Amino acid sequence: MFQQAALLSDQDVNLVRQLLHQATRRDDFLLLNEVAGKVKGVTGIQTDLHDEPFLRTILRDHAYFASRDSAHG
């Protein structure tokens, strides 16, 4: 869905994954919003998705592009 997810480093994605898990466990919507805002700033993505589904999509898309790149590497 978001090709720009490939712009994120593995380190970025690991941090997003950790923060997403932490935020959803604590119902910390402010943290979700901050993380989503940071990812949007880095990637230039504009979307109407809510923060949690957006971040889950970014993680899924990044994994897709990473696996595709390693298969064609």
Side-chain angles (χ1 to χ4, degrees):
M1 185 169 180
F2 298 117
Q3 284 188 314
Q4 300 95 318
L7 298 172
L8 298 171
S9 70
D10 290 342
Q11 185 177 356
D12 293 337
V13 170
N14 287 333
L15 182 58
V16 169
R17 185 176 293 113
Q18 290 171 6
L19 292 172
L20 174 61
H21 180 73
Q22 180 180 347
T24 53
R25 222 178 45 232
R26 298 178 182 172
D27 286 335
D28 188 341
F29 301 107
L30 182 60
L31 179 57
L32 279 175
N33 187 258
E34 288 180 25
V35 175
K38 192 67 153 171
V39 169
K40 290 174 186 177
V42 168
T43 60
I45 293 172
Q46 296 181 4
T47 179
D48 291 333
L49 280 177
H50 291 288
D51 297 332
E52 185 179 348
F54 168 69
L55 293 171
R56 292 191 185 284
T57 302
I58 285 294
L59 294 175
R60 187 174 56 243
D61 290 355
H62 183 272
Y64 168 78
F65 290 116
S67 68
R68 192 181 72 169
D69 289 347
S70 65
H72 293 99

